[in-house]
Amino acid sequence: VAGLLKRYEYKDPAAVSLIRGLCEAAIEGFRETLGRVGIGFDSWDWESETASWNGGAREVVERLSGTGFTRLEDGTVVLDCEAVIERFGLREKYGIRTEVPPLTLMRSDGTTLYTTRDIAYTLWKFGRAERVINVISIEQKLPQLQLKIALHALGRGADAERLMHYSYELVH
C-alpha cells in the first residue's frame, strides 16, 4: 500500500488511474445517496491537485522546517506541537488539557501525511474564502487541532481562528 501511495503522490499514471477510479466510484455513491435527500455540491476538490501535485504539501514542510519548530527523527520531519502551543499561548485558547503529540509532516521516503496535505489544502482554501469549515468525524479532532497549531507556527494565526471543525460521530 505504501508503494502505491508514493507512486500516486508522485503522479505515476498507473497509480493515478487506479486510485482515481476507486475514488470516482465512491464519490458516485455519495452523490447518489445525497441526491435522494436533495443535497448536491457545486464543486469537488481533489486533495492531490490542491495540496500534493501543485507542491503545496512540500512547501508546507519547507516553510515549517524554517520556523525552528521542527526536527528530523530517523529521516522523518516532525513538528513539535508542544513548542508551538507554549510559544503562542494556545493551551487556554483551544482548551488543551493534555499533551499534544508531535506531528509527523514527512516520512523518510519523502511522502507526506494526511495532516500535512490538509495544512496545504487549508491554505489553498483560505486563498478562496475568509472562513473554512471542515465537517469531519470526531476521529479527526487531534489532526484538526494539530492543523491549527501548524497554522500558528506558519504565522497564520488569524487563519487558525477562522478555521472551524464541526465533528460528527457514527451512531449504531
Side-chain angles (χ1 to χ4, degrees):
V1 174
L4 178 62
L5 292 176
K6 183 175 183 177
R7 289 179 28 229
Y8 183 78
E9 190 164 336
Y10 285 94
K11 210 173 178 180
D12 172 83
V16 170
S17 177
L18 175 65
I19 290 175
R20 282 282 173 101
L22 292 170
C23 289
E24 285 288 355
I27 290 169
E28 186 53 40
F30 294 150
R31 286 182 176 135
E32 182 182 320
T33 300
L34 293 170
R36 290 185 198 136
V37 291
I39 297 173
F41 293 88
D42 295 329
S43 65
W44 292 79
D45 302 323
W46 288 97
E47 177 189 87
S48 50
E49 293 173 7
T50 61
S52 292
W53 297 343
N54 67 356
R58 296 199 185 288
E59 182 181 336
V60 162
V61 174
E62 288 173 19
R63 288 177 54 202
L64 283 169
S65 293
T67 65
F69 293 115
T70 62
R71 62 183 178 269
L72 203 58
E73 291 181 0
D74 298 323
T76 64
V77 181
V78 177
L79 176 67
D80 184 345
C81 291
E82 280 295 315
V84 179
I85 289 167
E86 295 310 315
R87 167 66 177 86
F88 293 99
L90 303 179
R91 196 163 303 284
E92 188 174 317
K93 177 182 287 229
Y94 295 129
I96 301 169
R97 306 223 187 303
T98 60
E99 184 175 326
V100 177
L103 171 62
T104 300
L105 298 168
M106 183 179 284
R107 296 178 188 94
S108 60
D109 69 359
T111 57
T112 57
L113 285 87
Y114 168 82
T115 306
T116 311
R117 293 187 301 272
D118 206 19
I119 296 165
Y121 185 36
T122 298
L123 293 171
W124 182 87
K125 289 187 260 186
F126 273 121
R128 289 150 182 78
E130 292 179 19
R131 177 171 298 219
V132 173
I133 301 170
N134 291 332
V135 181
I136 308 174
S137 74
I138 192 70
E139 288 84 7
Q140 292 298 314
K141 183 177 180 178
L142 176 60
Q144 288 293 301
L145 174 61
Q146 290 171 317
L147 191 159
K148 283 187 172 210
I149 291 167
L151 290 176
H152 281 278
L154 289 168
R156 306 284 299 255
D159 286 339
E161 298 307 309
R162 294 190 314 271
L163 171 65
M164 303 181 74
H165 172 216
Y166 288 115
S167 60
Y168 58 85
E169 293 192 57
L170 296 176
V171 178
H172 295 277

